[in-house]
Amino acid sequence: MEQHDLNHEFPEYRDQIHTMKMSSGRFSRLFDEYHEVNRHVVRVEVNAELATDFELEDLKKRRLQLKDALYELLKGASVN
């Protein structure tokens, strides 16, 4: 199964992810939501939790939206 935690998704931002989790409330909230959604997706994929295909697709879309938002914050912070 593919790893989708942010350290695997953005290894070049590993230190910055940690720093931003501690210093940015917005980043921290998005980070927590991303990992909550990701855990939910994984549980459905390993059949530990039930969901329809539609629900799983929605979860994956939300995970992607959160990942995009987090990436934009990481990029913006690395420019400063």
Side-chain angles (χ1 to χ4, degrees):
M1 185 173 303
E2 214 175 309
Q3 295 288 324
H4 287 282
D5 65 273
L6 290 181
N7 288 322
H8 280 93
E9 294 289 336
F10 307 124
E12 68 277 17
Y13 290 109
R14 183 178 304 251
D15 293 336
Q16 192 170 338
I17 289 169
H18 176 73
T19 300
M20 289 183 72
K21 275 184 3 188
M22 300 299 148
S23 64
S24 170
R26 180 166 186 244
F27 186 90
S28 182
R29 283 188 301 278
L30 290 172
F31 178 91
D32 290 344
E33 185 179 352
Y34 175 86
H35 284 283
E36 182 180 320
V37 171
N38 186 52
R39 280 190 295 274
H40 194 73
V41 168
V42 169
R43 289 183 55 76
V44 170
E45 289 179 337
V46 299
N47 297 317
E49 197 171 304
L50 296 177
T52 65
D53 289 342
F54 182 75
E55 290 168 328
L56 181 58
E57 187 69 24
D58 279 350
L59 285 169
K60 288 181 176 183
K61 286 177 185 177
R62 181 63 184 149
R63 179 175 66 186
L64 184 57
Q65 291 169 340
L66 290 164
K67 184 172 111 176
D68 288 345
L70 288 161
Y71 180 68
E72 288 302 316
L73 290 172
L74 288 166
K75 275 191 346 184
S78 67
V79 170
N80 296 332

